[in-house]
Amino acid sequence: MSEDARDAVPGDGRDESANERADRNWDELMQELRVMQTGTQILTGFLLAVAFQPRFADLDALQVVLYISLVVLAGLSTLLALAPVTLHRTVFARRMKPALVRVAARIVAIDLAVIALLSVGVTALIVDVVLGRTAGAVALIVGAVLVVGLWVVLPRRFRRGDHSS
């Protein structure tokens, strides 16, 4: 039996070595990061611009705390998104790709949680400022339910094989 055949995962239809699988998984992870980064950059740019708008002075204490919390989350999300790239730069020539992919995947999962909080929070802040506290709270709850439904429940159903229409 060849080394490639021993390393292939049975039943997945692929005949790839552990290194080929790690390379493919790394490429897929980088594509996910590109998508995440675009959305995060837009939210971060929006948040940074808000502080320089005339209406910023009209925010109440709760809105300012929410705003600062969102700026921190945006910064954290950016750092998390760049961490796998930094790790890769540090260990890329040391034959550590499978371990790198595992660690980077965990970092991306954490970043997704941060992006979920950031997205829901930005929406709640905007709705709160424009329509009031009650509408902002409703936006927060609806956003949280959507995130849990689309980012937690739906993927779990797919993993269980329950994805029929």
Side-chain angles (χ1 to χ4, degrees):
M1 181 185 301
S2 73
E3 183 179 332
D4 288 349
R6 282 192 310 269
D7 291 338
V9 174
D12 78 348
R14 294 189 175 111
D15 183 23
E16 58 189 1
S17 70
N19 285 336
E20 289 168 334
R21 179 174 299 276
D23 288 342
R24 180 178 52 79
N25 287 339
W26 179 257
D27 290 343
E28 290 177 9
L29 197 57
M30 289 299 100
Q31 185 58 33
E32 291 170 4
L33 279 170
R34 285 181 194 99
V35 171
M36 291 167 48
Q37 185 180 28
T38 301
T40 303
Q41 286 174 331
I42 291 167
L43 287 175
T44 301
F46 161 76
L47 285 169
L48 295 177
V50 165
F52 299 100
Q53 301 303 313
R55 275 193 74 187
F56 186 77
D58 297 338
L59 297 181
D60 64 31
L62 182 64
Q63 291 167 334
V64 170
V65 167
L66 180 56
Y67 171 78
I68 295 300
S69 299
L70 293 169
V71 169
V72 169
L73 286 174
L76 177 60
S77 179
T78 300
L79 292 173
L80 287 168
L82 294 173
V85 177
T86 303
L87 282 171
H88 182 266
R89 282 284 98 209
T90 304
V91 303
F92 76 96
R94 297 188 181 166
R95 300 179 187 197
M96 300 175 70
K97 182 80 64 93
L100 174 63
V101 169
R102 281 190 301 277
V103 170
R106 288 184 195 119
I107 292 170
V108 168
I110 293 166
D111 198 16
L112 281 169
V114 170
I115 290 170
L117 293 171
L118 179 61
S119 299
V120 171
V122 166
T123 303
L125 177 62
I126 292 169
V127 172
D128 182 82
V129 168
V130 174
L131 299 177
R133 186 68 27 95
T134 301
V138 169
L140 182 72
I141 292 166
V142 169
V145 167
L146 286 171
V147 165
V148 169
L150 294 172
W151 292 13
V152 178
V153 174
L154 184 61
R156 284 186 180 165
R157 288 186 68 184
F158 262 83
R159 280 195 301 257
R160 286 193 323 249
D162 184 16
H163 45 83
S164 58
S165 47

